[in-house]
Amino acid sequence: MLQPSSTTNRAPRPGAAVTGRAWLMLALATAGFALNFWAWALLSPLAPRLQDSLGLSSFQQSLLVAVPVIVGSLGRIPVGALTDRFGGRVMFPLVSAATIVPVLYLGLAGHSSLPALLAGGFFLGIGGTAFAVGVPFVSAWFPPERRGLAIGIFGAGMGGTAISALTTVKLVDANGMANPFLITAGVLAVYAAVSALLLRDAPGRTVPTEPLARRLTATFKLGVTWQASALYAVAFGGYVAFSVYLPTYLKTGYGLTQADAANRMAGFVLLAVAMRPVGGWLSDRIGPVRVLNGALALVAAGAVVQAFTPSLAPVGTLAFLAMAAALGAGSGAVFALVALLAPANKVGSVTGVVGAAGGLGGFLPPLVMGALYGTYGSYAWGLILLALVAAAALAYTGTVVRRGIDRRDPAAQPH
């Protein structure tokens, strides 16, 4: 009888030791992801201020914070495929340097009108593509038994949005609108130079030889591409949606000040970030399906509770923190699934598509929430929709995704 090839639920083999260089590359990649996400999220904390100064409607404010999300999401598809071909050593400095341009534009000239902000936000989306660079880069450095944890640690770089939430408004209040943008551009420039000098692709990295179009076509034919995309649209999409819209939600729904709302959003982000490596680590040990099942159930329950707009102390706060932890762990579990099922020479391409789905999942909810609030004067229906989507994803995970893993390796997922 053939022995199962997967080691998803086993302890790492003695021969699967990770080198010090691999950990260094992981640290550099995580830093790059965090810094690019910091830039990517610069407009969100300023959205309420820009709404007041420019007289924007709720929908226009939602569009302002959503544009960088959708561009950064769709951009992951070609960037992931290019990373498969050229490696993270080339792509990390390139993406970081390219993000500097819209950051400077927004800080110096592009914040005086909605069209200018939308144009700057469009190119600011480049920063969001860094995720599709890091997953294949990190994955190649680690053995299969450690990839869930490694990619989860890398995914914690999404905490760059917390840096933005905690600092942007304060920096603007202290020294004017250009201040946070100039600082972010300077930090990105330093990282681009350092990463160009220090980053190295993993020895023996599988380099595809097929043309880009053919590789993307093959990627779209993989079952894991669509399974992981659907789940990431809910898990990471939910995280992105809350990270960009929560300040507006808290200010409008609970009457909090802009600074208080931004600080609470930062707490949501930090918990989600901390739970992402935990989700990857748990997936290495009990399987990604079990982690996703628990995470999605918790999101559905938290959204139902919050739909009733309970007081923030303590029920509302607990509901949001539970959803933050679940969305973070679920995001880590999705890429443990990708590391388990995607072919080695297509990890970047699959990551690009899955990352795009996650970003698109974060693009729609702020628009829906803004439109529903403008129509009904309440966010309840938006949260009920989130609960229904999470419940549907839970059912999908327990059936289609589980069967896909069991067909590949009956021992890979515990029963």
Side-chain angles (χ1 to χ4, degrees):
M1 180 181 296
L2 292 175
Q3 295 298 314
S5 58
S6 175
T7 55
T8 305
N9 298 301
R10 304 175 205 162
R13 298 188 310 272
V18 179
T19 65
R21 171 164 280 197
W23 291 113
L24 174 61
M25 294 301 108
L26 173 58
L28 289 170
T30 304
F33 180 31
L35 295 177
N36 278 280
F37 253 43
W38 176 11
W40 194 38
L42 280 170
L43 290 179
S44 175
L46 297 174
R49 178 184 299 241
L50 292 168
Q51 181 183 30
D52 293 339
S53 64
L54 299 177
L56 305 180
S57 67
S58 294
F59 179 81
Q60 287 173 326
Q61 181 188 5
S62 301
L63 183 64
L64 173 64
V65 298
V67 164
V69 173
I70 190 170
V71 175
S73 303
L74 293 176
R76 291 173 188 175
I77 297 175
V79 168
L82 289 170
T83 303
D84 278 340
R85 176 66 181 85
F86 297 105
R89 183 183 184 184
V90 171
M91 295 301 295
F92 253 127
L94 185 62
V95 167
S96 301
T99 304
I100 293 171
V101 178
V103 169
L104 289 176
Y105 165 76
L106 285 166
L108 297 176
H111 56 265
S112 58
S113 69
L114 180 61
L117 283 165
L118 292 177
F122 181 91
F123 291 100
L124 191 65
I126 295 170
T129 68
F131 179 74
V133 178
V135 170
F137 176 80
V138 170
S139 182
W141 272 105
F142 286 80
E145 300 85 358
R146 301 288 186 90
R147 283 180 187 157
L149 174 61
I151 296 173
I153 292 172
F154 167 76
M158 67 187 188
T161 56
I163 302 175
S164 179
L166 290 170
T167 63
T168 302
V169 173
K170 294 175 183 176
L171 289 171
V172 169
D173 288 341
N175 294 296
M177 183 64 76
N179 194 33
F181 295 90
L182 293 176
I183 292 173
T184 306
V187 174
L188 282 172
V190 171
Y191 177 77
V194 170
S195 62
L197 290 173
L198 298 182
L199 282 183
R200 296 291 184 273
D201 290 308
R205 182 178 73 89
T206 305
V207 180
T209 57
E210 296 175 314
L212 176 62
R214 188 179 301 172
R215 282 189 284 125
L216 287 176
T217 299
T219 298
F220 283 115
K221 292 180 179 179
L222 295 172
V224 65
T225 302
W226 298 105
Q227 293 171 12
S229 292
L231 295 172
Y232 204 57
V234 179
F236 185 71
Y239 161 79
V240 171
F242 277 120
S243 69
V244 300
Y245 200 72
L246 197 54
T248 301
Y249 174 90
L250 292 173
K251 182 182 177 185
T252 305
Y254 286 94
L256 301 185
T257 65
Q258 182 181 350
D260 191 11
N263 287 337
R264 290 174 185 267
M265 185 271 274
F268 180 98
V269 168
L270 288 172
L271 179 57
V273 167
M275 287 301 297
R276 186 156 181 159
V278 175
W281 176 79
L282 285 173
S283 296
D284 285 341
R285 280 148 182 81
I286 65 173
V289 165
R290 281 187 169 178
V291 178
L292 283 163
N293 283 340
L296 292 167
L298 197 53
V299 171
V304 169
V305 170
Q306 192 56 37
F308 292 95
T309 318
S311 62
L312 278 179
V315 178
T317 298
L318 290 175
F320 274 120
L321 291 179
M323 287 190 286
L327 292 168
S331 296
V334 170
F335 276 94
L337 183 70
V338 171
L340 173 67
L341 297 180
N345 65 341
K346 291 185 174 66
V347 172
S349 298
V350 173
T351 296
V353 177
V354 175
L360 291 174
F363 171 75
L364 291 176
L367 298 180
V368 172
M369 293 288 277
L372 288 174
Y373 185 83
T375 302
Y376 299 105
S378 170
Y379 291 114
W381 285 112
L383 288 157
I384 290 296
L385 284 175
L386 172 61
L388 292 173
V389 169
L394 174 60
Y396 181 73
T397 302
T399 55
V400 176
V401 177
R402 186 182 187 104
R403 284 197 299 267
I405 292 181
D406 288 347
R407 278 196 300 269
R408 177 183 174 100
D409 179 0
Q413 188 66 35
H415 294 277

